[in-house]
Amino acid sequence: MYTLYIPKKIRHKKYHRGHLKGKASRGNKLSFGTYGLQALEPSWIRPEQIEAGRRACTRKIRRHGKLWIRVFADKPRTIHSAGTRMGSGKGAIKFYVAIVKPGQIFYELKGVPKSLAFAALTLAASKLPIKTKIIL
C-alpha cells in the first residue's frame, strides 16, 4: 500500500459507502499550474493509480516544471474475507480510495512547454481507469 497517498490519521475508522452522483463543485478549476488533467466520469481511484500517473508524468517532463497532485485517497474501503457468513459486523479496512467526480482536477503542471505538458498528461491519463480531458 502506498503510504504517501493514504491518511496518517482518520477521524472515523469506517465510513459509509456513499454515492458518486453529481459534479465536482470543489477542485474543478486550475489553482496552481497552467495545464491540468480533468476527470470526465465519476469513480473511486486507488493510491496505486495516482502514483502510476505521477510517475509517468514526472518521467516525461524530467526535471522541468512542477507537478501538483490534486487528489488524495482518504476514504477507507472495508471488505469481508471470502467465505464469511452474513452478519458479524463490518469488514476490515482493505484499502483507501479517492472519490473523483466529473470536473475534478487530477494533476496540474507549470513551467513546461505546451507540447511537453500535453504529452506528459496524456501518459498520466493512460494510467487512470476513467476518461479524462487535458486542460491547456
Side-chain angles (χ1 to χ4, degrees):
M1 192 180 314
Y2 288 90
T3 56
L4 182 64
Y5 298 111
I6 61 170
K8 291 179 179 70
K9 190 175 172 185
I10 52 176
R11 186 174 291 173
H12 301 291
K13 190 176 176 189
K14 297 172 182 177
Y15 283 68
H16 288 298
R17 186 180 163 91
H19 57 78
L20 291 169
K21 290 196 299 190
K23 293 184 177 166
S25 57
R26 301 166 121 189
N28 56 359
K29 291 180 178 61
L30 293 176
S31 299
F32 306 103
T34 50
Y35 310 106
L37 187 68
Q38 188 176 42
L40 294 178
E41 14 179 74
S43 179
W44 285 337
I45 306 294
R46 305 265 311 256
E48 295 87 2
Q49 295 163 335
I50 298 169
E51 174 67 7
R54 184 201 64 84
R55 280 185 179 177
C57 204
T58 51
R59 274 204 187 122
K60 189 67 179 174
I61 63 171
R62 305 237 166 108
R63 290 188 190 94
H64 303 94
K66 179 150 175 57
L67 174 75
W68 285 271
I69 301 166
R70 298 282 308 273
V71 291
F72 184 73
D74 59 346
K75 182 185 179 82
R77 295 298 300 130
T78 59
I79 294 177
H80 270 297
S81 57
T84 306
R85 294 188 176 186
M86 295 293 284
S88 70
K90 202 167 169 77
I93 295 175
K94 194 74 170 175
F95 54 87
Y96 287 83
V97 294
I99 302 164
V100 174
K101 292 185 177 182
Q104 175 81 39
I105 304 285
F106 278 105
Y107 305 108
E108 289 189 32
L109 274 173
K110 188 176 188 176
V112 292
K114 189 175 186 177
S115 58
L116 185 60
F118 185 80
L121 291 172
T122 304
L123 278 175
S126 68
K127 306 295 180 187
L128 296 170
I130 62 172
K131 291 180 185 172
T132 55
K133 174 174 79 171
I134 296 171
I135 301 171
L136 298 173

